[in-house]
């Protein structure tokens, strides 16, 4: 019996990405992280459609109530329901953390990839700017930028992106430099592909894994830093239910422990979730980095 | 290239970096159109035409921005960082007052992190999967995931408010008072002067903030030690050492540990950045009069000279730390020195 070559080959070619995703799905820690994040995301989305109290509505007679059947997490100094404020807080922290990383990645990838690919003076200038930005511990520079821009959650976000993109730019640049001398790139050049096309279709897809790994490991820190800026008073402004800001108003009120405990636990849970998932992504997509 | 030559080259390279840093800070503080006089002068002297004239002259405020930058640079070289408008003191002297508290806290938290992180890392690398390994994993995960401003409040709640074991926020009990200043480090100064009550009290005040600030570093140290230990233990020379009948203790301490500790050195730079970021939060929670809290207060009060001064100082120290780490690495690891 004769078998053609096409029949002898496996039906589907297992791509590296698919293989990585499969190993991610089998990683219990990563899946626990994913469950935590999905849980908070769902809570954040459905919150306005539940009979939960309005996080801003004040019941002056019920000020500083300890947790009870009526107020699960107690009430704050203005008689607002801490439980609904914590849940609504996810509507700020979750998307902000995501957006900070997304913008930092986009900016870093664009700048870093073009620097690595174009080279020359452009590369030199961009990379010196990145070096200078990285000469600061990130939160310190973010603090200065946020202070200058004025307190608001958008400005905190801008400050975070401005101090974070160089890390991705540096990573991306070194990736592009190592990929651009591969034979398949030379082949594309020989075929007359434009520089933009080579960068987008031949180089970028092959540099994607380390950036993804770094982004997923950074997501938790982004949320921590945004909460920190709000805690200092340079992020979300009252009466916005933001976790860092809630901890800030409740600090030193040791008798009313619920004011700070629950928003803090929320931050801890979400950041742990992101870190679990991030480590799983690292193990699956870049085994060298473990 | 010899070590000294390398060091000189690195220090010279710091000059363009430092100029870049000042330029970046200058741009950042000038993107927002505020009246610069309002930033430099106190509220009362805003009505005083003479003070306005003097400040305009000194900072070259009627000049175009590039010239203003050069004036700023010139003042900087003379050690003039401007005047804080909250404290009304020159920023440079404020920083000199606040720095010792941060140094003292950083040293203590670093000691805490090493004393606990190193053994935990060694044991969990040697016996991976054991109980100690699991506990270490949880400790380091928490260290990386807990906001320090929250964990600080948590330990204050438990150990100060509930149990009364630890003192509240602050550096020393005001009734005892700060010891006579020599270095500005309370523990050291009080010991030097034989002021035992101040010594014990300032040491007592250091415990909680050091644990909170050191937690992040602890996480870093234990994780790197663990993975480095795991790697070294699988090397041929460890098998050789065991095969020739060396006691296990000697294998671990003399053969494995010495090599496993090398990667830790590179960590110091990262740990320093972590300490500085952590100091900002920890000092705020523990009312610790250091530069972290100074930075936060000046940011909250839009005290630009103070913000830029503090940021500049931290960036310069950070650069020096990184150079120091690279040098140390070359000294410790002969493969790099001779390679």
């Amino acid at each position: 019996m004769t078998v053609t070559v096409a029949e002898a080959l496996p039906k589907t070619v297992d791509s590296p990405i698919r293989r990585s995703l499969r190993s991610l799905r089998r990683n219990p820690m990563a899946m626990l992280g994913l469950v935590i994040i999905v849980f908070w995301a769902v809570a954040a989305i459905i919150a306005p459609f539940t009979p939960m109290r309005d996080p801003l509505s004040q019941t002056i007679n019920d000020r500083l109530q300890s947790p009870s059947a009526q107020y699960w997490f107690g009430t704050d100094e203005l008689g607002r329901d801490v439980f609904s404020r914590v849940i609504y807080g996810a509507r700020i922290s979750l998307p902000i953390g995501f957006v900070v990383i997304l913008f930092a990645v986009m900016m870093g990838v664009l700048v870093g990839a073009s620097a690595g690919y174009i080279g020359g003076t452009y590369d030199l200038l961009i990379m010196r700017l990145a070096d200078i930005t990285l000469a600061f511990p990130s939160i310190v520079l973010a603090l200065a930028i946020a202070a200058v821009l004025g307190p608001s959650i958008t400005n905190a976000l801008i400050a975070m992106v401005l101090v974070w993109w160089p890390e991705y730019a540096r990573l991306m640049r070194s990736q592009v430099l190592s990929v651009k001398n591969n034979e398949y790139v030379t082949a594309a050049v020989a075929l007359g592909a434009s520089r933009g096309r080579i960068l987008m279709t031949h180089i970028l897809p092959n540099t994607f894994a380390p950036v993804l790994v770094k982004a997923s490991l950074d997501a938790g820190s982004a949320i921590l830093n945004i909460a920190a800026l709000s805690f200092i008073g340079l992020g979300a402004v009252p009466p916005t239910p933001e976790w860092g800001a809630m901890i800030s108003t409740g600090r030193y009120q040791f008798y009313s422990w619920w004011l700070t405990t629950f928003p803090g636990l929320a931050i801890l849970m979400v950041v742990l979730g992101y870190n679990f998932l991030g480590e799983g992504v690292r193990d699956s997509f870049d085994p060298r980095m473990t | 290239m010899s070590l000294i030559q390398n060091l000189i080259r690195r220090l010279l390279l710091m000059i363009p970096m430092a100029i870049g840093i000042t330029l970046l800070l200058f741009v950042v503080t000038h993107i927002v159109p505020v009246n610069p006089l309002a930033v430099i002068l106190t509220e009362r002297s805003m009505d005083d035409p003479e003070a306005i004239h003097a400040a305009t002259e000194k900072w070259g405020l009627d000049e175009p921005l590039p010239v203003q930058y050069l004036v700023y640079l010139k003042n900087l070289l003379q050690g003039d960082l401007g005047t804080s408008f909250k404290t009304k003191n020159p920023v440079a002297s404020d920083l000199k007052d606040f720095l010792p508290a941060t140094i003292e806290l950083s040293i203590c938290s670093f000691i805490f992190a090493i004393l606990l992180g190193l053994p935990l890392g060694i044991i969990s690398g040697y016996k991976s999967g054991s109980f100690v390994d699991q506990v270490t994993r949880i400790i380091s995960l928490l260290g990386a995931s807990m906001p320090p401003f929250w964990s600080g409040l948590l330990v204050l709640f438990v150990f100060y408010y509930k149990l009364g074991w630890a003192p509240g926020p602050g550096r020393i009990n005001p009734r005892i008072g700060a010891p006579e200043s020599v270095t500005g480090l309370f523990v050291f100064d009080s010991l030097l002067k034989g002021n035992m009550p101040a010594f014990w009290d300032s040491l007592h005040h250091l415990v909680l903030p050091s644990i909170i600030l050191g937690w992040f570093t602890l996480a870093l140290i234990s994780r790197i030690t663990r993975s480095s230990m795991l790697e070294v233990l699988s090397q041929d020379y460890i098998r050789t050492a065991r095969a020739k009948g060396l006691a296990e203790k000697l294998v671990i301490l003399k053969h494995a540990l010495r090599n496993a500790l090398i990667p830790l050195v590179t960590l110091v730079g990262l740990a320093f950045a972590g300490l500085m970021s952590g100091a900002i939060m920890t000092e705020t929670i523990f009312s610790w009069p250091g530069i972290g809290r100074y930075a936060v207060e000046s940011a909250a009060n839009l005290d630009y000279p103070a913000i830029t001064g503090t940021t500049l100082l931290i960036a310069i120290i950070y650069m020096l730390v990184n150079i120091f780490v690279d040098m140390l690495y070359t000294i410790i690891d002969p493969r790099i020195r001779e390679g």
Side-chain angles (χ1 to χ4, degrees):
Chain A
M1 203 174 100
T2 54
V3 181
T4 61
V5 177
E7 279 170 18
L9 284 172
K11 285 284 178 296
T12 51
V13 180
D14 210 5
S15 80
I17 292 179
R18 202 170 298 159
R19 211 179 319 140
S20 300
L21 279 177
R22 185 151 16 92
S23 98
L24 188 63
R25 267 203 303 277
R26 286 185 189 147
N27 182 336
M29 284 301 250
M31 285 305 104
L32 175 63
L34 190 66
V35 166
I36 294 175
I37 296 164
V38 168
F39 166 80
W40 277 101
V42 169
I45 292 168
I46 64 166
F49 307 108
T50 59
M52 204 182 290
R53 280 181 200 82
D54 181 345
L56 299 180
S57 85
Q58 307 174 2
T59 314
I60 298 300
N61 288 336
D62 288 349
R63 265 176 309 184
L64 293 176
Q65 299 283 311
S66 56
S68 61
Q70 191 190 0
Y71 299 107
W72 291 352
F73 290 177
T75 61
D76 68 5
E77 68 288 350
L78 295 171
R80 294 174 298 198
D81 185 2
V82 175
F83 177 73
S84 55
R85 287 178 70 75
V86 167
I87 299 291
Y88 272 80
R91 294 173 70 87
I92 297 171
S93 298
L94 242 50
I96 292 277
F98 181 74
V99 169
V100 165
I101 295 297
L102 184 71
F103 282 3
V105 166
M106 285 191 334
M107 196 167 154
V109 163
L110 212 67
V111 170
S114 57
Y117 192 59
I118 297 170
T121 320
Y122 174 73
D123 180 28
L124 192 76
L125 284 177
I126 291 287
M127 283 303 121
R128 285 302 82 76
L129 180 61
D131 286 346
I132 290 168
T133 314
L134 291 176
F136 299 90
S138 63
I139 188 93
V140 177
L141 186 58
L143 191 78
I145 297 176
V148 171
L149 294 178
S152 88
I153 194 86
T154 320
N155 289 344
L157 191 151
I158 294 172
M160 292 304 311
V161 173
L162 286 181
V163 300
W164 224 319
W165 70 267
E167 294 187 21
Y168 289 98
R170 211 181 243 184
L171 176 66
M172 199 59 201
R173 177 176 174 272
S174 68
Q175 284 293 311
V176 168
L177 284 182
S178 72
V179 170
K180 97 173 171 186
N181 292 324
N182 276 331
E183 278 168 9
Y184 56 82
V185 177
T186 318
V189 174
L191 286 171
S194 71
R195 277 157 71 112
R197 186 181 160 78
I198 293 174
L199 189 59
M200 296 311 286
T201 61
H202 296 279
I203 296 182
L204 283 188
N206 289 303
T207 55
F208 141 92
V211 174
L212 177 80
V213 168
K214 182 169 166 48
S216 48
L217 284 171
D218 280 352
S221 319
I223 289 185
L224 272 183
N225 284 345
I226 288 287
L229 285 178
S230 293
F231 173 80
I232 292 167
L234 292 174
V237 284
T240 318
E242 199 276 344
W243 295 333
M246 287 169 77
I247 294 175
S248 181
T249 39
R251 69 176 128 167
Y252 304 136
Q253 302 197 36
F254 293 127
Y255 180 74
S256 314
W257 53 270
W258 56 91
L259 293 179
T260 51
T261 306
F262 295 114
L265 282 175
I267 300 178
L268 177 61
M269 216 172 137
V270 171
V271 175
L272 268 181
Y274 271 117
N275 286 347
F276 286 160
L277 186 62
E279 286 186 12
V281 170
R282 179 191 57 195
D283 294 348
S284 304
F285 281 81
D286 197 350
R288 280 165 309 164
M289 281 172 75
T290 32
Chain B
M1 195 166 20
S2 84
L3 207 63
I4 303 291
Q5 270 176 325
N6 196 8
L7 180 67
I8 292 172
R9 196 181 62 94
R10 290 290 303 270
L11 288 176
L12 285 178
L13 277 175
M14 248 184 90
I15 297 171
M17 275 295 280
I19 293 176
I21 286 171
T22 58
L23 190 61
L24 181 71
L25 281 176
F26 186 81
V27 171
V28 163
T29 44
H30 284 74
I31 22 173
V32 177
V34 283
N35 179 7
L37 280 177
V39 173
I40 294 163
L41 294 174
T42 57
E43 244 170 68
R44 200 178 309 152
S45 50
M46 277 300 277
D47 302 327
D48 180 3
E50 215 151 280
I52 291 183
H53 182 75
T56 313
E57 192 104 310
K58 184 181 167 206
W59 295 92
L61 293 177
D62 43 2
E63 308 280 357
L65 276 182
V67 178
Q68 283 193 32
Y69 171 67
L70 292 178
V71 173
Y72 165 72
L73 216 54
K74 195 184 108 219
N75 287 335
L76 202 62
L77 282 177
Q78 293 165 349
D80 185 354
L81 295 166
T83 306
S84 153
F85 64 50
K86 175 94 187 305
T87 64
K88 317 277 192 274
N89 297 327
V91 173
S93 86
D94 267 355
L95 288 176
K96 221 174 5 186
D97 290 345
F98 286 106
L99 195 58
T102 302
I103 293 178
E104 186 167 45
L105 180 59
S106 304
I107 292 175
C108 282
S109 62
F110 216 70
I111 292 175
F112 162 76
I114 287 182
L115 281 186
L116 203 61
L118 219 50
L120 283 181
I122 293 169
I123 297 172
S124 35
Y126 181 57
K127 291 204 161 129
S128 72
S130 66
F131 177 70
V132 176
D133 187 22
Q134 304 292 349
V135 171
T136 308
R137 194 183 152 82
I138 292 171
I139 291 177
S140 66
L141 260 173
L142 285 179
S145 309
M146 268 198 304
F149 53 89
W150 181 68
S151 46
L153 281 173
L154 207 65
V155 295
L156 274 175
F157 175 73
V158 175
F159 295 104
Y160 162 64
Y161 180 76
K162 279 282 171 198
L163 300 171
W165 291 355
R171 246 184 120 184
I172 197 158
N173 188 335
R175 245 180 277 166
I176 293 176
E180 198 181 327
S181 178
V182 183
T183 55
L185 311 179
F186 281 7
V187 172
F188 192 69
D189 285 355
S190 52
L191 207 57
L192 219 58
K193 297 282 172 195
N195 184 351
M196 289 326 272
F199 172 74
W200 289 114
D201 193 60
S202 49
L203 205 60
H204 204 180
H205 274 85
L206 268 165
V207 176
L208 289 185
S210 300
I211 291 175
I212 293 303
L213 182 56
W215 204 327
F216 176 80
T217 322
L218 165 71
L220 221 54
I221 289 178
S222 63
R223 292 190 73 158
I224 300 286
T225 312
R226 176 183 186 272
S227 63
S228 170
M229 207 55 193
L230 274 173
E231 197 187 315
V232 168
L233 282 174
S234 67
Q235 299 288 321
D236 285 345
Y237 57 79
I238 297 294
R239 198 172 42 190
T240 311
R242 280 183 179 144
K244 70 183 183 189
L246 213 58
E248 189 65 12
K249 207 166 116 191
L250 281 179
V251 174
I252 298 301
L253 291 181
K254 286 201 85 168
H255 292 243
L257 191 56
R258 286 178 70 166
N259 290 299
L261 288 184
I262 292 176
L264 265 183
V265 177
T266 46
L267 210 104
V268 175
L270 210 58
F272 176 79
L275 276 183
M276 275 299 122
S277 319
I280 287 178
M281 302 299 145
T282 314
E283 289 181 0
T284 306
I285 282 299
F286 288 95
S287 302
W288 199 263
I291 54 170
R293 183 158 154 245
Y294 185 65
V296 169
E297 281 182 358
S298 43
N301 292 312
L302 296 181
D303 190 344
Y304 297 110
I307 301 172
T308 44
T310 317
T311 317
L312 187 64
L313 177 72
I314 294 177
I316 301 276
I317 299 178
Y318 190 31
M319 278 201 298
L320 287 173
V321 167
N322 277 324
I323 293 179
F324 170 75
V325 168
D326 288 354
M327 291 295 129
L328 201 61
Y329 203 60
T330 357
I331 294 171
I332 294 181
D333 194 342
R335 281 171 302 185
I336 293 178
R337 192 172 50 218
E338 275 145 33

